[in-house]
Amino acid sequence: MTLTYSFCRRVFNFIDNGIGLMKKLGAPHTARAKPRESPQPLTWPDPQQGAHHTLVRPTRAHAHAPLLGGSSPSPPQQSDPPSPGRASPRPLHPSSVLLTPPHPRAGHKAPPTRDPHTPQKRERPAPERPRPAEIKTQTNHTHSAPAKQGRTLHKEVGSCTSFELSRLAITACANVLSSSVLSFSEVCHSPLVTHLLPSSFRSSSQLSNSHGPGFAKLNRREGAGGWSPLSSDRYQWLEVDLGGRTQITAVATQGRYGSSDWLTAYLLMFSDTGHNWKQYRQEDNIGAFSGNSNADSVVQHKLQHPVIARFVRLIPLDWTPNGRIGLRLEAYGCPYNSDVVSFDGNSSLLYRLRPRPRQMTRESISLKFKTLKNAGTLLHAEGPNENSLSLQLEKGKLLLVLRKGRSSSSDQHLVSLGSLLDDQHWHQVAVEHHSNHLNLTVDKSTLWVQIPPRFTHWDHDQMSVGANHGLSSLRSLESNKNFYGCLENLDYNGMNLVYLAKQRDQRVSMQGNVTFSCAEPIFVAMTFPSPQSFLWLPRVSEPSFKGMSVGLQFRTWNKAGLLLTFDLSNQGGAVWLYLSKAMLHLQIHKPGRAPLELTAGSALNDGQWHSVVLISRRGRLTITVDGDEGAIAHASPSFLIDAGQLFFGGCPTEESGQKCMNPFKAFQGCMCMLTVDNQEVDLFQVQKRLIGNYSHLQLDMCGIIDRCSPNHCEHGGSCSQSWSTFHCNCTSTSYSGATCHSSIYETSCEAYKHRGNTSDYYYIDVDGSGPIRPQLVYCNMTEDQTWMLIQHNNTELTRVQPLPGKNQHLAHFEYTSEEEQLAAIISQSEHCQQELTYHCKNSRLFYTLDGSPLSWWLGGPGEGQVQTYWGGASPGSQRCACSIQGSCVDPKHHCNCDAAHTEWANDTGLLTHKENLPVRSLVLGDVQRLGSESAYRVGPLRCHGDKNVWNAAFFDKETSYLHFPTFHGELSADISFLFKTTSSSGVFLENLGIKDFIRIELSSATEILFCFDVGNGPLEVGVKAGFPLNDNRWHRIRAERNVKEASLRLDELPAATREAPADGHIHLQLNSQLFIGGTASRQKGFRGCIRSLQLNGVTLDLEERAKITPGVQAGCPGHCSSYGSLCQNQGRCVERPNSFSCSCGPSAYTGAFCDKEVSASFKSGTSISYTFKEQVVKELNRSDSTLPSSLHPDMTLRAENITLSFRTSQSPALLLYVDSHQREYVALLLNKHDKLEVWYRLDSSKDAEILRSKVGNLSNGQLHNVAITRLADAVSVQIDQNTKEDFNLTSDLDFNDIRSLVLGRIHDTGGLDQDLARLASLGFTGCLSAVLFNSVSPLKAALLHPDTSPVIVSGPLAQSVCGSASTNPHAAETKHHQSGQSGSVGTGQPLVNAIRSDSAVIGGVIAVVIFVTVSASAVMARFLCRSKGMCQSGEIKTVKPEDSPELPFSSQSSPRIGPSESQKEYFI
């Protein structure tokens, strides 16, 4: 196999070099291929009969063909050309993606560490066998849609294209791979039919004796050269008895020799008894096999999963249109030996497993079983420590029960897997126990189960099979659940227990009638697969005045469907027995009478067998559902209920002339045990059409499929189904889509920022569609960084309380995020940090004489590793930040606390090495010495930056690309990324398989295409935008493909979807490299940037790959063109190498997007005075781009833009005042009529011009927005959403030599008009917000930058959110303090959470007193504020430094981040 893959690699290299050479020579290599008129198989002669054979892959054929019956066959599709073998499927979790070579459990993330008392389970498909090549003349990958032609020359489906050179390479490799795979199956590949006697063959009919079934042997020419039935329709069949149960690995077909008769498609059925057939399905839902294209060539199909059966039956679906059905066949396999035991419901085996074998690291149980009962105990094992294990059937599902204890109420753990296991077919069960988990397998589905610790120790010393012979208290409860059926090859840790029983081993005892063969009851069912299905039966007995009875059993997934209908004999009227809303209804219509209706039963669409009996006797009508344990409904009609003919499941077409009307949906499901007048209907006679008639019916089989097992609904989505499809309910899963695959949340706080969200709590899903659950975190979006905060159980400064006899203090920290969530957050963040603080008084941190540290902490993944350094120092250094900064109080020591001073000191710093985060535990060792006191604080984990969001690559040539390992998303695949380009077309992504492929491309400047093929023919989903996509702005693409549908979404446009073909192929199988930004043929490459590329929740590192790839650059600048619009209120977008930010310098707002207003509550004595300087005035003039000449060196303005918001109940009131050294001014005020006035005095020799607005009622306590613009003499005023008002000034146009801007009270009123001076002395009481005079924001200067701004604040000033228009405004943005300093020494002591202090009682009393006092004050203040209508929430008082003496050891913990009434959770 190594040589095989080496050969494939050389082929691909050769093709690559060939393409490059062709381009240099200018040779065209994209010419469209001529259509293939007929297949040209690669053949070799058969040494026996001269037949020719062809090597091909398994067929995906006629995915949509009806099963049996119906209209005449449609013309066959054109045969596919020969193609190579199919790549081996890899067992993957539906949501998994593999981008590196697979490990033993490829596609699965390591089981998460969870609470052992809350076991988790994860379902995945069992490993599938490879699909090697076969002998045939057309591929086992054909379809009823346009045939899948492999990689044809420039094949087009819309814009989905494939190229010939890639196809040639893949085909060449596949042929080699196919021949290699064949060698593995030769062990069990012997012909099984060739040597059988003619009596081993049966058929539905034969055209003549020479066309009999005994002549249907491969390559034989006896008789007429094969089998042909009397008529060619879909009710014919050919059956072979292999003489005993045999392992079958392949089948081959051939047409009738020397004729134009052959099959083009057929169904394959198997049985152990010649009854109760089971249809073989590829990929669990593909039923049809492709047949032949002529009479002589051989088409062989390797079975994906070998079948063990005695009887083989072929049912023709399609045949040559110019001939009739003609068939020769062969089956391949090998003998099958097994040990079988049969139980009759009263029998059992008991095994004593003493002495137990030595303790093993792995224990296993495996068996096969078949039964018609949906409940029963397969086996029960127990041991002396009261641990027991049971395998039981419950409603056709397998239950694994782990129990601890001796009673039915004992602690137990249940696991369920499988469905419809009561179908009288063999089912494989395996249990593998590994220390803390087990794998439970039923047929092809495997469940990985975490076991709670109390169930991990298995010491079973006895096992009962077929019944529960365990504890007496449990036997009485489960005595009615004994197993009725057959078991085969029961293996326990390598011991064949059935073989021991057959050998009468002394460790085995038997109870009841145990036989070592499988005694199978005759079970005949029929399937109604389509709405056209029906069965008509005549009434055998003549209609009688005594009445009638009809009985049947059914199973279905549909909530509605007709079970039975008949006309009333000689009376007119009709009777319908039907399902509606999963309940049984009986409805009788008789002319001239009110309809009669009965209802019984519920939830009858659960897939279980349900019995129905309808009895009409002596004027009493009864319907019974499920016998004595079910429901009964009665009626007493005044007329006789009798029938002449009965219709089951539906009605024939009107053209048939039969009187049958069905106003309800047709039944789809299975029926059996039909009785009429207490006589059972012989369905074998029905099959031969000796009784009644039928259409679109499958007889002697129940073809029900459980589409929810295995469950394709991911992330805990609940699955419901009908006969033809399934539906996933994603409610409460946090995921969306047809299979609950895609997360509804963003992957990080950084991603939320791109959507314009501000600081708040958000759910983030760090791995998108992966298995890690979403988590609620706080996103602190500042102007500089976007911080993600993860809290733990103790972020407060905590006093150490020494315990008697304990020399150390241990603190353990539990985080709000789970282990895998923490690991993913830390891994994908650019930077993480955690504050570590130790306050000490005569308490050392690290120092000892022998060098061993006194204290340490544990950090990193899992339980963490021991760390012996403090915040701000290097790992393992036993140092603190003061040692790095050279500021330790004692130069002899590396930490302040190691000096052991009797005064308080502290060591504080940030831990920034991500591999050591988060802090898990803290151990403090110097806490018992006399006179020692200490306190510690471990802050929350804080991370910023998302390496995934900004991971980008720039493709500057159409021939450049990046390649990655094969993308494995067989059942579910989601792809998301952002792009920007100036090109009108290009391929973003492509991955090829043998015939499958997946591709996303920009097909035009306004259209995105998502193309793929999983075996049903190429499909595409497209989204057309109403705007150009080559605008060099970022656009987001999200594509998803699952077993239900494919979807494509562009930006925020509605998603385009396309349903998957019904019963089509579902596995996407790729085997070449994944190409990003180009294709394997290096054509139609993409020019531009691709960013944040994620496949099934895994981010591809484009930048690292781009660094080593010519023609591709790592990173992609230029984000403001896309995100600049997020910067609001005159904020400027600033480019960063891997991000952007909003500069709020010229804005009156602050925050990540300059969207948070800066507001303050004013009292009558509050005053803010901002002094203009020459440079400030230059900036003011420069801010007005409309007047370039307005820049004057003498600090003169000819234009102003003034905006502000206010809320007040005061009138008159002065809002804003700007004056100059020339006794000129501009003033905004409310007059006594509650209207706004703008006073302009631009000529000191004249009185002010007063501009009065017509908008009134402005002092109503509501928020009002004002915007005033002056340009020379033109002034406009706009208030709220009212019409703009225009005014003209008549005085001077220059505002000369401006001096200051005042908000609130004006202390120096000299030179003011008398009225204005009186108003200015009153001050302003209310709220001012977002005040902006050109580019100067005096509120921002006073509240946020008082030390660096030319501003003077006097009187009380409270920052507030009173400027918010909402009644419940958002809380102000919380900012974390900067804490990198090493601490200092003083006489105070740390301020600690009173609850954690060592003086709990005193602290509690003080706290109560303070609480009562503050509460009383707050209530009184609130009352006073409400009376004035001006009280606002969230105020933070700003005081002068002298009002608050600094506490040298006060807690510098960050503000507590927690929900408030003004904060919201976003579910986005």
Side-chain angles (χ1 to χ4, degrees), residues 342-362:
S342 181
F343 301 96
D344 61 3
N346 296 309
S347 54
S348 61
L349 295 174
L350 180 62
Y351 295 87
R352 293 173 180 82
L353 306 176
R354 301 185 187 94
R356 274 186 51 79
R358 60 181 177 83
Q359 186 67 28
M360 296 180 292
T361 59
R362 171 180 172 273

Side-chain angles (χ1 to χ4, degrees), residues 734-763:
S734 302
Y735 296 84
S736 64
T739 58
C740 311
H741 177 76
S742 299
S743 179
I744 62 177
Y745 302 122
E746 298 290 348
T747 57
S748 66
C749 291
E750 190 83 16
Y752 277 111
K753 179 180 179 181
H754 293 152
R755 302 186 58 157
N757 297 101
T758 57
S759 298
D760 217 319
Y761 282 92
Y762 298 93
Y763 277 96

Side-chain angles (χ1 to χ4, degrees), residues 177-197:
L177 287 170
S178 298
S179 60
S180 301
V181 174
L182 277 175
S183 62
F184 290 102
S185 59
E186 290 175 356
V187 177
C188 187
H189 196 70
S190 301
L192 303 175
V193 177
T194 301
H195 305 294
L196 294 178
L197 298 174

Side-chain angles (χ1 to χ4, degrees), residues 80 157 255 409 440 585 681 706 971 1070 1087 1170 1337 1389:
D80 275 359
V157 179
S409 60
L440 175 62
H585 294 257
V681 177
D706 190 343
L971 297 176
L1070 309 172
R1087 292 190 63 188
Y1170 185 96
S1337 176
Q1389 63 178 354

Side-chain angles (χ1 to χ4, degrees), residues 1026-1334:
F1027 48 86
L1029 300 174
N1030 56 345
D1031 56 357
N1032 204 31
R1033 297 167 63 93
W1034 288 112
H1035 298 280
R1036 186 177 186 183
I1037 292 177
R1038 284 162 288 181
E1040 180 183 348
R1041 179 261 152 194
N1042 52 58
V1043 298
K1044 285 276 292 181
E1045 66 179 22
S1047 64
L1048 177 67
R1049 186 169 187 179
L1050 171 66
D1051 293 335
E1052 299 305 317
L1053 296 176
T1057 60
R1058 182 164 183 172
E1059 290 188 4
D1063 294 331
H1065 295 279
I1066 60 176
H1067 291 275
L1068 174 66
Q1069 297 188 355
L1070 309 172
N1071 57 11
S1072 66
Q1073 290 182 324
L1074 169 66
F1075 286 84
I1076 306 299
T1079 64
S1081 61
R1082 299 186 182 181
Q1083 299 183 39
K1084 296 185 65 177
F1086 171 73
R1087 292 190 63 188
C1089 292
I1090 296 178
R1091 176 165 69 87
S1092 188
L1093 175 59
Q1094 287 192 327
L1095 285 78
N1096 277 358
V1098 176
T1099 300
L1100 299 191
D1101 195 341
L1102 301 177
E1103 293 186 355
E1104 285 300 315
R1105 189 60 62 94
K1107 292 176 183 177
I1108 58 174
T1109 305
V1112 185
Q1113 300 175 19
C1116 192
H1119 306 297
C1120 283
S1121 60
S1122 301
Y1123 302 113
S1125 60
L1126 295 177
C1127 300
Q1128 306 170 33
N1129 302 305
Q1130 303 179 34
R1132 293 197 309 268
C1133 183
V1134 180
E1135 290 283 357
R1136 292 185 174 183
N1138 282 328
S1139 182
F1140 76 97
S1141 64
C1142 295
S1143 173
C1144 304
S1147 171
Y1149 291 73
T1150 186
F1153 306 111
C1154 309
D1155 59 336
K1156 293 184 178 297
E1157 82 284 348
V1158 179
S1159 307
S1161 292
F1162 283 69
K1163 304 297 182 182
S1164 60
T1166 305
S1167 175
I1168 297 177
S1169 177
Y1170 185 96
T1171 303
F1172 293 107
K1173 297 181 180 180
E1174 182 176 354
Q1175 183 61 33
V1176 174
V1177 177
K1178 290 181 180 180
E1179 293 296 329
L1180 293 178
N1181 283 294
R1182 188 176 298 119
S1183 66
D1184 187 1
S1185 60
T1186 61
L1187 278 181
S1189 62
S1190 65
L1191 176 59
H1192 298 283
D1194 58 352
M1195 302 178 67
T1196 297
L1197 297 177
R1198 301 196 69 188
E1200 300 91 37
N1201 288 305
I1202 305 172
T1203 59
L1204 59 84
S1205 299
F1206 70 90
R1207 187 197 302 263
T1208 186
S1209 299
Q1210 174 186 347
S1211 67
L1214 180 64
L1215 300 178
L1216 176 144
Y1217 176 77
V1218 182
D1219 69 346
S1220 74
H1221 294 282
Q1222 305 296 328
R1223 300 175 64 85
E1224 299 173 355
Y1225 64 82
V1226 177
L1228 273 68
L1229 55 89
L1230 294 179
N1231 62 24
K1232 61 183 179 180
H1233 303 295
D1234 293 351
K1235 294 184 178 181
L1236 180 73
E1237 293 182 358
V1238 183
W1239 291 27
Y1240 269 101
R1241 184 180 180 183
L1242 302 183
D1243 186 343
S1244 59
S1245 63
K1246 298 181 180 180
D1247 293 334
E1249 295 187 63
I1250 301 176
L1251 312 179
R1252 292 185 176 89
S1253 171
K1254 297 179 182 179
V1255 179
N1257 196 28
L1258 297 181
S1259 59
N1260 58 358
Q1262 301 298 315
L1263 186 69
H1264 298 285
N1265 302 310
V1266 177
I1268 300 172
T1269 303
R1270 180 181 76 91
L1271 183 60
D1273 64 336
V1275 180
S1276 65
V1277 178
Q1278 183 167 11
I1279 302 174
D1280 297 331
Q1281 301 300 319
N1282 296 289
T1283 305
K1284 183 185 295 185
E1285 300 173 88
D1286 295 319
F1287 304 90
N1288 288 297
L1289 300 178
T1290 59
S1291 59
D1292 192 7
L1293 304 181
D1294 292 334
F1295 192 2
N1296 298 296
D1297 201 10
I1298 63 173
R1299 180 178 63 179
S1300 63
L1301 181 153
V1302 180
L1303 301 176
R1305 170 174 286 186
I1306 301 176
H1307 295 287
D1308 182 12
T1309 59
L1312 293 181
D1313 298 340
Q1314 182 179 358
D1315 293 338
L1316 188 60
R1318 181 171 48 82
L1319 191 59
S1321 64
L1322 297 177
F1324 174 75
T1325 303
C1327 167
L1328 287 177
S1329 173
V1331 180
L1332 189 68
F1333 182 81
N1334 283 5

Side-chain angles (χ1 to χ4, degrees), residues 894-910:
H894 299 301
C895 296
N896 288 323
C897 291
D898 282 345
H901 285 186
T902 57
E903 297 175 334
W904 281 101
N906 78 79
D907 287 293
T908 300
L910 295 176

